[in-house]
Amino acid sequence: MQHDYVAASEDERQDRIEHTIECIHCAAEAGIPAINVYTGPRFWVKGNPQLHWDIPEGRAWDIVIDAYGRMLPVAEKHGVTLLIEACFGMVCRDFY
């Protein structure tokens, strides 16, 4: 998947959440037990905010928690694990 949910546009964020939910359904139907996701923001994607410069980390976490609050119940219902990939520049960026 590798979607992130901290986007400059609310419409883009909603599209990413809805697409992830669709992919959760598809993964479950195909017997795929897990999908890879980011938290965001992917600052290298044009139009996405850069953490600390364009968006405070606390606000970014609020956005991520809201997105996962919508996606996790669907994933749990269908037995699909969301694997968060820690990545530099994102709210979830550390390996500890």
Side-chain angles (χ1 to χ4, degrees):
M1 284 295 310
Q2 296 188 332
H3 272 317
D4 75 88
Y5 308 99
V6 182
S9 159
E10 180 63 22
D11 289 339
E12 180 67 23
R13 185 175 87 83
Q14 294 303 321
D15 288 346
R16 292 174 187 180
I17 293 168
E18 290 169 15
H19 185 243
T20 302
I21 290 171
E22 289 173 16
C23 289
I24 291 167
H25 289 285
C26 291
E29 288 176 19
I32 298 169
I35 58 174
N36 173 258
V37 291
Y38 289 137
T39 53
R42 292 179 293 173
F43 65 87
W44 58 88
V45 173
K46 187 175 181 172
N48 270 6
Q50 185 172 354
L51 195 60
H52 302 289
W53 292 95
D54 302 316
I55 186 169
E57 188 163 352
R59 176 66 186 130
W61 270 115
D62 289 342
I63 291 168
V64 169
I65 289 167
D66 176 70
Y68 280 85
R70 292 182 47 202
M71 298 180 307
L72 282 174
V74 178
E76 289 175 344
K77 178 181 175 185
H78 294 287
V80 175
T81 301
L82 300 181
L83 303 170
I84 298 174
E85 182 176 340
C87 189
F88 69 98
M90 296 187 188
V91 294
C92 186
R93 61 187 173 274
D94 218 339
F95 59 86
Y96 296 106

